[in-house]
Amino acid sequence: MDIIRCDTCDAPYGLRPDGLFRCDGDQAHALHNQDIDLDGSDVWAVDSAGTLVIVADPAVTAEWARDALEAFFEDEPDSWGETNSMRSFLEAADDLLDAAHVGLPLPNNF
């Protein structure tokens, strides 16, 4: 999970009562949700402290976890591949936990 920071003053953005995001810097720069442009399979969310964060999309991460677990069972025991598959699975599990902590639902088929 990564915090989204203001390009101008590097302060984190937080959710305000008016529904906008404003940075915590002296200038309180505004950020509209339509201005949040993420690459790849990342999504934005608001953590329990009201801070705007980036997390991996749970649907994509769940698929990654399933693929890693499948590869783990196909790899030779005690091989580099088996170790790498388990590492990938654990990274995906960490990403799923990050998404769950900010309230994003896990996929139904996970």
Side-chain angles (χ1 to χ4, degrees):
M1 180 170 15
D2 294 316
I3 294 173
I4 298 178
R5 297 184 170 279
C6 178
D7 286 339
T8 305
C9 64
D10 199 41
Y13 282 102
L15 181 62
R16 301 297 178 218
D18 61 4
L20 296 176
F21 297 104
R22 296 207 184 274
C23 74
D24 294 337
D26 292 337
Q27 300 294 317
H29 300 104
L31 177 68
H32 298 274
N33 60 1
Q34 65 266 25
D35 294 331
I36 302 171
D37 184 25
L38 302 175
D39 295 328
S41 61
D42 290 333
V43 295
W44 64 268
V46 177
D47 69 11
S48 60
T51 303
L52 186 60
V53 296
I54 299 171
V55 295
D57 183 339
V60 173
T61 306
E63 186 174 326
W64 178 30
R66 283 190 298 274
D67 291 346
L69 196 56
E70 183 177 304
F72 174 80
F73 288 117
E74 292 174 356
D75 289 323
E76 292 292 323
D78 298 325
S79 68
W80 177 88
E82 185 183 64
T83 301
N84 192 52
S85 296
M86 183 51 63
R87 183 177 298 117
S88 293
F89 175 79
L90 293 173
E91 288 175 12
D94 283 343
D95 286 346
L96 285 168
L97 287 173
D98 284 345
H101 285 180
V102 295
L104 295 178
L106 298 179
N108 290 333
N109 59 353
F110 182 66

